[in-house]
Amino acid sequence: MRTFHPALSCGQPDTTSRQTGYDTQTRTRRNGRNWSLLLIFGSMTIGVLAAFFWLASAFLSFVSAAEPMAFSIYCMDHIDECPTKGPRFVRYSAPLMQLVSKVQTQVNGAIIPRREAVDVWSADVASGDCDDYVMTKRRRLIRAGVPATAMRVVVGRRFGESHVVLVVKTDRGEIVLDNLRRTAYLR
């Protein structure tokens, strides 16, 4: 029996269905199913990859925001300098900036730069590396009345090496104390 297929021109009979076992309409449907499966699996793969990269970036931002391990060890030995409750920032003022600048200048002049073989974070030392400057400045600011909870220790890269600075968080921005700079600055 001959069937007529509307897609064929001039109303010619469709003989492919008997010869190949499927007609043009079935072949299109099968290809449509294959494409839809490909789209489904492709979308799922893209979704999984996007979720993975989102989680990875969230984890990396958490890790970079966390305190350095050496700072945590310092705090275990000096619990009184590392409270967890208190103001997260201080009010910016000229006297605060003068205090911070004075501490910056005094500590930068008092500590002799020295690369340490074993990195131990200490305060009030005669010589040391950047973390020793930070801990000495931090201790002096705490003794002068700046809340420890309004300060944070920031680790970054400088000249291809890890470098630590002290940041005092204020309502107008952050004051950065860096032993590689002469003065503290607001950012």
Side-chain angles (χ1 to χ4, degrees):
M1 177 173 169
R2 295 178 135 191
T3 59
F4 287 91
H5 193 280
L8 296 174
S9 61
C10 301
Q12 296 178 9
D14 179 13
T15 56
T16 58
S17 60
R18 295 214 189 275
Q19 295 169 355
T20 61
Y22 60 89
D23 62 8
T24 308
Q25 187 176 6
T26 306
R27 185 175 51 214
T28 303
R29 239 184 283 137
R30 282 186 186 154
N31 285 343
R33 278 191 216 127
N34 289 342
W35 279 109
S36 61
L37 285 176
L38 181 64
L39 288 173
I40 289 169
F41 288 123
S43 298
M44 288 173 53
T45 303
I46 290 171
V48 167
L49 287 172
F52 171 76
F53 286 118
W54 180 82
L55 286 172
S57 69
F59 176 73
L60 288 175
S61 67
F62 171 75
V63 168
S64 65
E67 295 173 337
M69 181 62 77
F71 178 70
S72 298
I73 293 169
Y74 177 89
C75 283
M76 286 192 286
D77 290 336
H78 303 89
I79 249 175
D80 57 318
E81 292 182 23
C82 302
T84 56
K85 294 182 181 176
R88 296 290 174 206
F89 66 91
V90 292
R91 171 172 243 125
Y92 180 85
S93 64
L96 173 69
M97 195 63 193
Q98 287 172 349
L99 170 66
V100 170
S101 296
K102 179 180 174 184
V103 168
Q104 166 84 355
T105 304
Q106 287 176 346
V107 173
N108 282 359
I111 297 177
I112 299 167
R114 177 180 52 90
R115 189 178 296 265
E116 298 174 328
V118 176
D119 194 30
V120 177
W121 289 34
S122 303
D124 296 326
V125 294
S127 64
D129 58 6
C130 57
D131 52 75
D132 301 317
Y133 284 87
V134 165
M135 299 317 293
T136 302
K137 291 173 186 179
R138 188 173 180 280
R139 179 177 281 174
R140 289 191 185 181
L141 288 172
I142 290 170
R143 288 180 180 162
V146 178
T149 52
M151 291 184 273
R152 64 187 176 111
V153 176
V154 179
V155 179
R157 305 283 299 164
R158 180 105 175 191
F159 307 119
E161 294 183 4
S162 291
H163 183 63
V164 183
V165 297
L166 180 64
V167 172
V168 179
K169 295 190 270 183
T170 75
D171 58 348
R172 287 194 32 209
E174 298 176 327
I175 303 172
V176 180
L177 293 88
D178 184 347
N179 67 297
L180 298 178
R181 289 179 165 247
R182 294 174 83 195
T183 58
Y185 62 94
L186 183 67
R187 69 168 175 186

